Amino acid sequence: MNAINKEPVRSDDIRALDAEHHLHPFTDTQALNNKGARIIERAEGVYLWDSEGNRIIDGMAGLWCVNIGYGRKELADVAKEQMNQLPYYNTFFQTTTNPATQLAKELAAVTPGDLNHIFFANSGSEAIDTIIRMVRRYWEVEGKPWRKVMISRNNAYHGSTIGGTSLGGMSAMHKQGGPMVPGMEHIRQPYWYGEADGQSPEEFAQTCAQALEEKILQVGPDNVAAFVGEPIQGAGGVITPPPGYWAAIQKICRKYDILLVADEVICGFGRTGNWFGSQTFDIKPDLISMAKGLSSGYQPISAVAVGDRVANALIAKGGEFFHGFTYSGHPVAAAVALENLRILREERVIEQVRDETGPYLQQQLRERLGGHPLVGHIEGVGLIAGMALAQDKSTHKLFDSNLDVGTICRNHCFANGLIMRACGNRMVLSPPLVISKAEIDELIDKALTCLDLTVKSLADMGIKVAQ
Ligand code: PXG
């Protein structure tokens, strides 16, 4: 139905209008317009339905965000109630609203360590931009305004604003729309399967952490403001750091008095089996960014949790921080996020991921897909997983990136009722946290079929996969 005049709208009409007027994110518009967009009409639990009536199992929780699953009426009810009572007021001019304040209190409680203060924004990118400005401001307040450099990693994703793009390590993004923001440095990523060159995971963890120390020494320790990393690199292909990596990174940050920032936009709110990825990897960050699972994607809202060191300095000595967004702490988004947190807590969703469904997904993936000729390696923890598609798994030989093997596999998934995302030649999964074991079985059945179909497509193109 058309939301405006209640007339039924034909899918073909929507597609035609979409092609005429809608520019999609991260999309080759010409290529999309040639085939037309898929229209998603409704969703329930872990399933989506498109306009042709196909039922699709959503192995990506939307875009890594619908943690409590689709169709939770409680969130809709809370949104309606809040809209009726107070649809909007800002938090700028010496004012607040109850939902914003309550949410700050809740987030201070669920975040680890001394992250006791919360700054609100509306997207992960805005949270990251907030961190860039806040960290640089912190060093100004501390009398070291020369500490500007932010260090991140190749193949990291920290959003799509100019700040997030510059801080992130996506080379394709850096090539468009420059110049990037100055003062951003990048080091190698801890991608053991693809880049370890024969080192054991433990050795490779140290090699990658050492790259941070080398970069700090090259830039000059007194010029570095912060190191920023996702506990697990999500959009980079679920690059899961080998054992010892985060402990070594943290030690180096402390040695040079560099702030440590965890970008928890994907890992936050249960994805890895704890409230935050920082807990899974025993990281004690000075600041964290969060978005996505904060509201399970039901409303756009993000936040930065700030540890006592930075918050106390900014509060005591910083005066006004000239930063914020019209919708920072939006009352409807905050009320929905509060309800989402209540469900996560009261239904013990995160404990279920940690104890039941997370280990089950990881074990079943390895058991049922690990032996497939295309699957070189599977990694992940909790309900986030990535697998490398390899041309010859015995030698870790990956496919030429021009082949776009991930897209071939992704398209088979799309056609067979499964959303599984491709990141280059890696396939990734991040289903809603409420997925059941039976639904995990169904997801893996479908993934297996699609891997077989990918081998067939490659054979049709004359490309052999080593058995
Ligand atoms: N940090 C991380 C770690 C993210 O994953 C952002 C920041 C930016 O969040 P916003 O809300 O501004 O999008 C993200 C977002 C993908 C994909 O295709 C991943 C993200 C966003 C869109 C697509 O994997 N992650």
Side-chain angles (χ1 to χ4, degrees):
M1 299 290 275
N2 181 325
I4 295 168
N5 61 20
K6 306 282 181 208
E7 291 292 319
V9 178
R10 288 175 48 241
S11 306
D12 287 345
D13 294 343
I14 297 177
R15 269 188 275 274
L17 288 173
D18 197 73
E20 221 170 303
H21 298 294
H22 188 181
L23 295 172
H24 292 239
F26 282 87
T27 294
D28 176 336
T29 300
Q30 190 174 54
L32 174 65
N33 290 353
N34 285 338
K35 62 179 196 176
R38 180 178 218 172
I39 304 160
I40 300 298
E41 282 194 339
R42 64 190 177 89
E44 188 66 40
V46 301
Y47 295 102
L48 307 163
W49 280 265
D50 69 13
S51 54
E52 271 56 53
N54 296 305
R55 190 183 81 148
I56 305 152
I57 186 162
D58 185 3
M60 284 305 296
L63 259 183
W64 324 78
C65 56
V66 187
N67 288 12
I68 60 164
Y70 298 94
R72 293 299 300 245
K73 298 277 182 293
E74 301 93 321
L75 272 66
D77 292 344
V78 160
K80 184 177 176 193
E81 223 172 275
Q82 184 60 45
M83 277 199 192
N84 282 326
Q85 188 186 325
L86 178 71
Y88 174 76
Y89 201 72
N90 69 71
T91 51
F92 276 51
F93 307 122
Q94 320 276 303
T95 58
T96 191
T97 64
N98 189 39
T101 300
Q102 295 296 338
L103 183 58
K105 183 200 100 183
E106 287 290 325
L107 291 176
V110 296
T111 47
D114 67 356
L115 300 163
N116 291 319
H117 286 84
I118 309 296
F119 193 104
F120 289 114
N122 312 285
S123 67
S125 301
E126 288 178 4
I128 286 292
D129 277 36
T130 298
I131 285 176
I132 296 169
R133 298 202 67 219
M134 191 180 274
V135 158
R136 289 177 166 178
R137 177 69 189 139
Y138 165 77
W139 287 114
E140 289 166 9
V141 164
E142 289 293 275
K144 295 188 173 177
W146 47 86
R147 276 200 182 246
K148 294 285 183 219
V149 173
M150 314 276 299
I151 303 177
S152 127
R153 298 170 298 176
N154 299 333
N155 198 35
Y157 189 73
H158 296 301
S160 178
T161 49
I162 187 73
T165 301
S166 307
L167 178 67
M170 295 289 173
S171 55
M173 291 175 76
H174 287 178
K175 287 186 189 129
Q176 295 182 345
M180 297 291 117
V181 173
M184 305 292 177
E185 296 284 340
H186 300 88
I187 60 170
R188 69 183 303 176
Q189 60 173 339
Y191 181 20
W192 176 77
Y193 184 75
E195 300 178 7
D197 227 357
Q199 291 186 28
S200 72
E202 290 75 12
E203 284 167 346
F204 187 61
Q206 297 306 316
T207 303
C208 293
Q210 202 46 48
L212 175 60
E213 185 154 25
E214 284 159 19
K215 179 62 80 179
I216 291 168
L217 294 173
Q218 179 201 329
V219 172
D222 212 31
N223 295 321
V224 181
F227 174 77
V228 184
E230 305 154 74
I232 290 176
Q233 285 158 253
V238 186
I239 308 294
T240 311
Y245 175 77
W246 274 113
I249 288 280
Q250 182 157 279
K251 202 166 150 201
I252 293 164
C253 288
R254 299 290 176 252
K255 179 173 170 188
Y256 295 100
D257 197 26
I258 286 161
L259 295 174
L260 177 56
V261 180
D263 184 348
E264 294 268 10
V265 167
I266 283 179
C267 292
F269 303 98
R271 180 59 53 202
T272 66
N274 289 293
W275 277 86
F276 291 92
S278 293
Q279 293 155 328
T280 301
F281 292 99
D282 201 18
I283 311 167
K284 298 194 173 46
D286 295 293
L287 300 99
I288 69 179
S289 50
M290 60 188 102
K292 296 188 188 276
L294 167 55
S295 67
S296 284
Y298 281 57
Q299 283 284 291
I301 181 167
S302 68
V304 175
V306 189
D308 286 346
R309 173 181 175 180
V310 172
N312 291 343
L314 290 175
I315 293 165
K317 302 185 270 184
E320 182 172 350
F321 180 36
F322 300 111
H323 180 80
F325 307 99
T326 302
Y327 303 124
S328 286
H330 192 288
V332 178
V336 168
L338 276 169
E339 183 65 4
N340 176 58
L341 297 189
R342 185 192 67 72
I343 290 174
L344 285 176
R345 194 182 318 103
E346 287 181 12
E347 297 182 9
R348 299 182 62 78
V349 174
I350 295 170
E351 287 83 349
Q352 192 180 312
V353 174
R354 185 189 63 203
D355 301 334
E356 297 283 332
T357 47
Y360 186 74
L361 175 78
Q362 299 296 335
Q363 178 229 341
Q364 290 294 303
L365 282 174
R366 283 159 182 78
E367 218 165 82
R368 297 186 56 206
L369 303 186
H372 192 278
L374 255 190
V375 177
H377 184 242
I378 297 173
E379 56 193 281
V381 57
L383 287 179
I384 182 168
M387 49 187 153
L389 301 183
Q391 187 158 12
D392 185 345
K393 55 200 281 183
S394 68
T395 60
H396 292 208
K397 182 174 185 291
L398 300 172
F399 288 96
D400 188 317
S401 58
N402 290 329
L403 258 181
D404 244 350
V405 64
T407 305
I408 297 172
C409 184
R410 197 268 319 267
N411 291 344
H412 282 304
C413 295
F414 220 68
N416 284 279
L418 166 66
I419 305 270
M420 180 159 65
R421 176 161 153 42
C423 302
N425 52 22
R426 295 177 60 76
M427 302 308 296
V428 302
L429 286 166
S430 163
L433 304 187
V434 294
I435 193 169
S436 67
K437 287 185 177 175
E439 288 162 344
I440 289 174
D441 291 343
E442 181 192 336
L443 189 158
I444 294 180
D445 288 344
K446 289 207 155 109
L448 202 48
T449 305
C450 296
L451 288 167
D452 287 342
L453 289 168
T454 306
V455 173
K456 266 199 201 118
S457 295
L458 289 169
D460 291 345
M461 295 161 67
I463 294 150
K464 282 239 292 273
V465 178
Q467 292 295 316

